[in-house]
Amino acid sequence: MKVLFLAAEAAPLVKVGGLGDVAGELPRALTELGIDVRLAIPRYPQLADQVRGRAPRAVVDVPRPSGPLKAEVHEATMRGVRTWLIGGDPIDRVPSVYGGEAADASKFIFFVVGALQACRATGWQPDVVHANDWHTAPALAWMRTVGDGWESTGAVLTIHNLAYMGAGGSDALREYGLPPADHSMLPDWARLLPLPLGMAHADAITAVSPGYAAEIQTPAFGCGLESFLASRPDVLRGILNGIDPDVWDPSHDPWLVAAFDRRSIASRASNKADLQCAVGLPVEPRTPLLAMITRLEMQKGVDLAMGALGQLAGRCWQLVLLGTGDPALEDRASAFAAREPQRVRFLPTFDAELARRIYAGTDMILVPSRYEPCGLVQMIGMRYGAVPIVRATGGLKDTVVAYGREGPGTGFLFGPAEPQALAEAVHQALDVYQDPRAWRGLQQRGMAQDFSWGRSARAYADLYGEIAAGRISSRGGDQ
Ligand code: ADP
C-alpha cells in the first residue's frame, strides 16, 4: 500500500497548530504498519536552510491554463518518514506559513499539484492520496478532473476544522484550471471553494473524532454543509487523532527540570515551581495553577475562561495563558492579566518549549472550546499529569471522562458555552484539588490513558484498504 500524505504543516519542520502534530506523527505510525508513505509539505521560505546546497530529487511542471510553473522536489527523511519538500515561486512569495486564506490558496494548489507531479516524475504511483483540510483538498479535485492517469488512485480527505474552507480561493482554483463541483447536494456557494470541492471528489471523508463527525452533520456545526455531509454517511467517518508517546513523554522531556511518570508524580512539583518562577507568578505549591495553551480565536473560548475566572475572584488560583492570534482577544487577555497581576500571566507568543513546561507544571489545563474537532491539548495535558477542564463537545467529550460520573473519571466537563457553566466546572475542580488523594487519582488515570496512534493508524489503514479494494468510491457517483 502506497500513500501520498499531503499537509500544510508537519512537526518538527513546521508547526502552527494541531495539524502540524498530526502530520508529524500519523505518517510515522502508518509507516510502522508497513505502509509506504510519502509525506509532502510546502518548502516555505523558513525551510530554505533544509535544502540549501542540495540538488532537488526532481523538477516538475505544474500545469496551468496560462502556462506551467516549475516546482522543485527535495527529499528528506523526517523521523523515519520519507518527506518531500515542494518549493517554487508561489510559495516563496508568501513569507509566513499562513498569510490569509485568499493569499494562500494559489500557493497551496501549486504545492499539491507539484506533489502529484512528483509521483509521476519519480515513478512512485500511490494507491491513495490522503489530503488534509482546505489547503490540500484541491489535490483530490485535480486528480479527478485535470490530471491524467489517476483513475485508480483512491482519494481520502481528513477534516481537521470544517470552518476553514479556503474562503476567497475560487480565483486560484480557476488559475489551475479546476472546474466547480457539480455534486447535487453541495450548495452553490461551496462549489468552487477548496474544501467542499475536495469533499465532492473524495472517496472517503474523515473527521478527527467520532464526536465531530456526528456534529458536522448538524446545522450547529456543519457550517452550511451539514446536508451534504449527512447525505454521505457511507463516506464519512470519525477517526480520533492520537499523540505520539515518544514525542510527548514527561519521563524523557529535555525541557523539564524534573522528569516524572505515573509512579513518580510527586516530582511534578519541581516543574510547577519552575513554571511559576519562569513566568513570574508567586511560587506557591498549594495554589491551584490553571493554564491554557491555544490559538487565540473565538473557537477556543478564551473569553469564556476569562469570564469564568472573573466569577471566581474569591477563590485561590493562578492562571498562565500562552497563545497568539486575534488581536482583539490578545488585547482582552492583556487587560485581564493587568487587572490580576498577582495571579494571571498572559504570554502572547508561540513557544513550543514553554508549552511543554506548562503541560508539566500546571495542575489544570483549560480547553473551553465552542467547538473542537479533536483537540490535542487535553490529551497532551493528561499525558503530563495536568487535569483537563473541557467543554463537552467534539473530540473533547470523546477523550475526557467526567469526574465522578462513570467511575472516577479523568477530568471535568461543562455543557453550555457560557462563563457560568465553566465557572461551575472550575469550582468543582478546585474543590477536588483540596483532596490530594482524589487529585492524584485523577492525574494518574489521565496519565494511564492510551492516546497513542496505533488504533487510529489501523483505522486509516483499513480505510485505505477498503478504497483500494473498490469497496468505497465516489468515482462514477454523483459528481
Ligand atoms: P488547534 O489545532 O485547533 O490549534 P489542537 O489542540 O489540536 O488545536 O493543537 C494545538 C497544538 O498546538 C498543541 O500541540 C499545542 O501544544 C500547540 N500550541 C498551541 N498554541 C501554542 C503556543 N502559543 N505555543 C506553543 N504551542 C502551542
Side-chain angles (χ1 to χ4, degrees):
M1 175 67 68
K2 297 195 193 73
V3 175
L4 175 66
F5 194 94
L6 299 168
E9 44 177 299
L13 282 180
V14 44
K15 166 173 160 178
V16 176
L19 175 61
D21 291 316
V22 172
E25 297 173 11
L26 174 57
R28 181 171 175 224
L30 294 169
T31 304
E32 282 167 5
L33 292 180
I35 295 176
D36 181 7
V37 183
R38 293 287 179 287
L39 165 65
I41 60 171
R43 191 194 72 205
Y44 297 108
Q46 70 192 71
L47 297 178
D49 285 348
Q50 302 286 332
V51 301
R52 204 178 305 285
R54 290 178 39 215
R57 167 89 201 271
V59 177
V60 297
D61 272 343
V62 173
R64 294 177 309 165
S66 59
L69 295 168
K70 293 274 180 225
E72 283 186 353
V73 183
H74 280 87
E75 190 169 294
T77 300
M78 188 169 69
R79 300 187 69 236
V81 175
R82 280 170 81 171
T83 304
W84 284 342
L85 300 174
I86 312 290
D89 267 353
I91 297 170
D92 290 339
R93 261 187 266 131
V94 185
S96 53
V97 174
Y98 300 119
E101 284 177 82
D104 287 336
S106 183
K107 87 178 181 199
F108 285 129
I109 301 170
F110 167 83
F111 153 59
V112 296
V113 177
L116 293 171
Q117 295 286 72
C119 297
R120 280 294 135 76
T122 58
W124 183 85
Q125 179 65 24
D127 299 296
V128 171
V129 173
H130 186 160
N132 291 275
D133 272 351
W134 78 264
H135 328 100
T136 51
L140 310 183
W142 196 87
M143 283 162 58
R144 296 285 182 253
T145 54
V146 181
D148 278 333
W150 292 94
E151 299 77 18
S152 60
T153 302
V156 174
L157 177 61
T158 295
I159 300 173
H160 300 256
N161 197 329
L162 181 64
Y164 297 90
M165 296 191 193
S170 306
D171 287 346
L173 292 168
R174 280 190 211 99
E175 182 192 344
Y176 288 86
L178 285 156
D182 63 1
H183 196 288
S184 60
M185 291 301 288
L186 262 191
D188 283 347
W189 57 263
R191 289 173 190 272
L192 200 58
L193 274 184
L195 183 69
L197 180 64
M199 287 161 75
H201 288 284
D203 296 312
I205 300 171
T206 69
V208 288
S209 68
Y212 192 57
E215 286 174 348
I216 57 178
Q217 298 180 51
T218 67
F221 296 91
C223 303
L225 298 181
E226 56 277 3
S227 303
F228 167 79
L229 287 162
S231 74
R232 309 191 70 193
D234 48 326
V235 164
L236 174 65
R237 53 181 85 171
I239 301 178
L240 193 68
N241 280 338
I243 54 171
D244 185 330
D246 296 334
V247 172
W248 303 104
D249 181 1
S251 65
H252 288 97
D253 189 326
W255 301 111
L256 310 189
V257 289
F260 63 97
D261 61 19
R262 200 150 37 107
R263 279 165 293 278
S264 58
I265 207 164
S267 307
R268 252 189 131 251
S270 310
N271 293 308
K272 179 172 176 180
D274 170 62
L275 174 60
Q276 288 169 318
C277 187
V279 300
L281 283 170
V283 180
E284 294 167 355
R286 285 303 303 156
T287 297
L289 177 57
L290 298 113
M292 278 188 84
I293 301 171
T294 185
R295 291 183 289 115
L296 283 192
E297 303 297 338
M298 283 308 276
Q299 175 201 340
K300 298 291 185 177
V302 191
D303 55 319
L304 301 179
M306 292 186 287
L309 292 173
Q311 296 180 20
L312 295 170
R315 297 210 60 166
C316 178
W317 50 263
Q318 297 174 332
L319 172 73
V320 177
L321 169 54
L322 174 66
T324 53
D326 180 349
L329 283 174
E330 287 193 12
D331 287 348
R332 281 172 69 178
S334 297
F336 183 63
R339 277 199 305 278
E340 299 268 11
Q342 277 307 307
R343 56 181 180 177
V344 175
R345 286 294 174 275
F346 170 45
L347 304 141
T349 169
F350 189 95
D351 185 334
E353 172 193 331
L354 181 58
R356 287 172 178 276
R357 291 164 72 190
I358 294 175
Y359 285 123
T362 190
D363 296 305
M364 302 163 201
I365 188 97
L366 289 176
V367 194
S369 307
R370 290 190 161 77
Y371 71 94
E372 193 56 76
C374 178
L376 301 177
V377 168
Q378 80 283 7
M379 291 196 265
I380 302 169
M382 282 186 262
R383 175 113 174 104
Y384 278 67
V387 174
I389 303 175
V390 306
R391 194 163 108 70
T393 185
L396 298 172
K397 75 170 187 295
D398 288 345
T399 51
V400 180
V401 180
Y403 177 77
R405 207 165 286 154
E406 304 152 36
T410 53
F412 300 88
L413 290 100
F414 68 101
E418 289 158 13
Q420 176 64 33
L422 172 55
E424 280 163 25
V426 177
H427 252 309
Q428 193 195 0
L430 295 176
D431 288 345
V432 178
Y433 184 81
Q434 299 311 318
D435 177 348
R437 274 193 54 189
W439 194 258
R440 178 129 324 166
L442 264 172
Q443 290 177 299
Q444 288 177 325
R445 284 190 296 279
M447 292 184 81
Q449 300 296 303
D450 180 5
F451 294 122
S452 58
W453 276 104
R455 198 182 327 153
S456 308
R458 278 191 298 280
Y460 281 112
D462 289 347
L463 181 64
Y464 301 151
E466 287 176 53
I467 291 172
R471 287 200 293 279
I472 311 176
S473 172
S474 68
R475 282 155 280 179
D478 183 0
Q479 290 300 313

